[in-house]
Amino acid sequence: MDKVMRMSSEKGVVIFTKSSCCLSYAVQVLFKDLGVSPKIHEIDKDPECREIEKALMRLGCSKPVPAVFIGGKLVGSTNEVMSMHLSSSLVPLVKPYLC
């Protein structure tokens, strides 16, 4: 869990993904389209992948990826991020982290 908390605070917007996950890719594209350059952690390339997945689930992720952190706080996965975007509440959160 400590590793995930450290990794989630490396940049203003951090996304935990898997390289083969299409939903992870969609979330990455959304943030890039908003002008944010998130820190991407492809956990399937990390030797501690299983531990990271478990830690993300313990933090409240319904699925381990994509897991989006803004300002070091868990926002959620695809459903939460897309809902926030559609309700216009995502842009104010990421505004401090625009490129």
Side-chain angles (χ1 to χ4, degrees), residues 39-80:
K39 173 69 177 174
I40 306 297
H41 289 290
E42 290 186 342
I43 65 172
D44 54 334
K45 295 181 179 176
D46 190 304
E48 297 179 33
C49 177
R50 294 283 180 224
E51 291 77 22
I52 293 171
E53 284 181 337
K54 289 176 187 176
L56 290 169
M57 298 290 282
R58 282 193 303 269
L59 287 171
C61 291
S62 55
K63 296 180 182 179
V65 294
V68 178
F69 288 78
I70 300 175
K73 295 180 182 172
L74 176 65
V75 171
S77 193
T78 309
N79 287 342
E80 293 81 11

Side-chain angles (χ1 to χ4, degrees), residues 72-92:
K73 295 180 182 172
L74 176 65
V75 171
S77 193
T78 309
N79 287 342
E80 293 81 11
V81 169
M82 293 302 181
S83 293
M84 291 175 74
H85 181 55
L86 292 173
S87 68
S88 300
S89 59
L90 183 61
V91 172

